Amino acid sequence: MILLNAFFLSAFLHSTAYSAAISSHDKSSAQKLADPNYGPIPGQSSLYSSYRGKAPPFPGNITDPIAPTAKGPPGTDDLVWQNLLSAEWVIFSFYQQAVEMFNETAFAEAGYPNTTYDRIQEIRDNEAGHLRIFQNEITPTSVKPGACKYAFPFDNPTSFLALATLIEISSMTFLTGLVQMAKLPASQGAMTAIAATETRHETWALLDIWKTNPFGGPSDTVFPYANQILDVTNVFIVPKSCPSENPVYPSPRQNLPPFSPARSTKSITPGSNIALNFTDPTNQPSFRKGVQYYATFFHGPSNISVPIDTTNWPREDIKVRIPPHFEARGIILAVIADTVGAPILATVKAGPVVLLEQPAELGLLVS
């Protein structure tokens, strides 16, 4: 019933480790990418919007890391851009696999508009452009991460589109966090521009695919700890498949215990009661005796913390009510914290989980 749990548990059972189709292990080709003027330039070339084809577009066809070409300290925002580039390899590869796996007929026969496959290719092209932008933002003194091998748990158009919707709306949220982590105004502006593009992708999906109102209220959800969302994407990375030159992803990495609403959940709209399911048996939370913990829910520009009882866990489920104060639009993002409001990174002890409110029926499926 809870599709995302099934996604995580079955990623390596029901999908192939995707990398061979986009691999290029010619390190000399990768080093050419160190020159920001090499190849089509985003914003100037139509490649990143109008290319149509099964083969991966530049620079997605060159997957090796790009070694530093200068000595010296890393650039001010290099770490943030390295994290974002590693995340972008996941997202680009996700769309590239769909382009290779499906065609226009597959989406039409599944009941989606005839333009769906064309839009998927265009989004794939946009994501290729993001790869190049992020590569160029990392200064010459730092490595530019390459692609890993990935396993994505979809085998039909509907499961792909459901996961795509969650990925796009999560991208909008982690970008609001990365903007806060970046120190240079130019970096903050570039990330805001990328977030606007992701918003366009999500708006298309909500209107054309799910036939729902795309408006999420006056503000999308702001979440300050982007790396915690990025860490969730590690579930799609085949263990030990990343280039040895790549930095830890994300860096710094907390490796927090993940959780989701339990399978018995009937609704994730504001005011609903949910039980928490900690989904990784090898990474379970540790609750200290005598400490009050909270489920902190982020929605729009604010958050609300609800006390939770951890005394009898794991013998008894931890239950909490999603704050009824929130408007049932956009997304709600929840973490477990030991301080009201989760004011600093160290106060977050588990999560996050993304609760998709639009469309509500899809939100319950993928939470």
Side-chain angles (χ1 to χ4, degrees):
M1 173 183 172
I2 307 299
L3 184 59
L4 192 56
N5 285 348
F7 281 169
F8 289 174
L9 291 173
S10 66
F12 302 104
L13 297 178
H14 298 292
S15 56
T16 59
Y18 174 68
S19 68
I22 66 169
S23 289
S24 170
H25 297 293
D26 181 354
K27 293 185 182 296
S28 62
S29 294
Q31 281 310 114
K32 292 178 182 177
L33 296 175
D35 177 1
N37 294 313
Y38 177 75
I41 298 175
Q44 298 180 28
S45 172
S46 63
L47 174 79
Y48 303 113
S49 297
S50 59
Y51 167 69
R52 297 295 181 269
K54 296 284 189 181
F58 177 90
N61 59 330
I62 305 172
T63 60
D64 283 314
I66 306 166
T69 56
K71 295 182 178 180
T76 301
D77 287 332
D78 278 1
L79 183 60
V80 181
W81 287 113
Q82 286 174 324
N83 284 333
L84 194 47
L85 177 55
S86 292
E88 186 57 50
W89 275 117
V90 179
I91 297 171
F92 169 79
S93 301
F94 170 73
Y95 281 104
Q96 178 62 31
Q97 180 176 348
V99 169
E100 294 183 16
M101 181 180 293
F102 305 124
N103 55 31
E104 180 178 338
T105 301
F107 288 99
E109 289 181 347
Y112 300 108
N114 291 335
T115 57
T116 301
Y117 184 64
D118 188 67
R119 288 288 178 265
I120 296 303
Q121 291 182 89
E122 187 169 1
I123 293 173
R124 183 271 314 268
D125 297 348
N126 288 177
E127 303 299 350
H130 294 170
L131 286 174
R132 193 62 180 135
I133 291 169
F134 302 161
Q135 288 171 343
N136 290 341
E137 290 289 346
I138 299 170
T139 67
T141 57
S142 295
V143 65
K144 305 170 195 277
C148 307
K149 294 181 179 180
Y150 307 100
F152 299 108
F154 64 84
D155 56 9
N156 60 69
T158 298
S159 60
F160 162 74
L161 289 168
L163 187 53
T165 301
L166 185 67
I167 286 175
E168 289 294 343
I169 204 163
S170 297
S171 297
M172 292 155 49
T173 303
F174 73 63
L175 281 162
T176 66
L178 287 173
V179 167
Q180 298 174 66
M181 294 170 66
K183 296 179 176 63
L184 299 176
S187 296
Q188 294 167 341
M191 291 177 191
T192 301
I194 297 299
T197 297
E198 301 297 348
T199 300
R200 292 171 189 255
H201 297 168
E202 180 63 15
T203 299
W204 163 75
L206 292 173
L207 281 173
D208 266 24
I209 302 302
W210 307 117
K211 310 299 183 185
T212 193
N213 183 355
F215 295 163
S219 171
D220 280 311
T221 296
V222 178
F223 184 69
Y225 310 126
N227 283 8
Q228 294 176 357
I229 301 179
L230 296 181
D231 202 359
V232 175
T233 65
N234 271 301
V235 73
F236 302 126
I237 299 176
V238 176
K240 300 181 180 179
S241 71
C242 295
S244 59
E245 301 92 334
N246 278 17
V248 172
Y249 170 73
S251 181
R253 185 185 183 196
Q254 290 177 281
N255 194 29
L256 295 174
F259 71 91
S260 68
R263 291 181 179 274
S264 59
T265 300
K266 302 299 182 184
S267 173
I268 56 169
T269 57
S272 300
N273 293 302
I274 61 173
L276 307 185
N277 175 32
F278 295 94
T279 53
D280 184 351
T282 67
N283 187 10
Q284 293 287 288
S286 176
F287 297 116
R288 290 178 292 156
K289 187 176 181 180
V291 175
Q292 177 62 65
Y293 292 91
Y294 304 86
T296 298
F297 296 87
F298 293 80
H299 185 57
S302 61
N303 67 72
I304 295 175
S305 292
V306 181
I308 57 174
D309 184 1
T310 60
T311 306
N312 296 318
W313 184 87
R315 296 188 306 276
E316 296 180 8
D317 288 339
I318 297 172
K319 298 179 180 179
V320 66
R321 186 187 186 199
I322 300 173
H325 317 72
F326 291 145
E327 186 178 14
R329 289 177 178 267
I331 65 168
I332 297 171
L333 197 144
V335 299
I336 303 299
D338 63 7
T339 306
V340 171
I344 61 173
L345 188 69
T347 62
V348 181
K349 303 303 178 182
V353 61
V354 177
L355 306 176
L356 180 65
E357 299 298 310
Q358 290 173 271
E361 59 276 14
L362 181 62
L364 184 60
L365 191 66
V366 301
S367 294

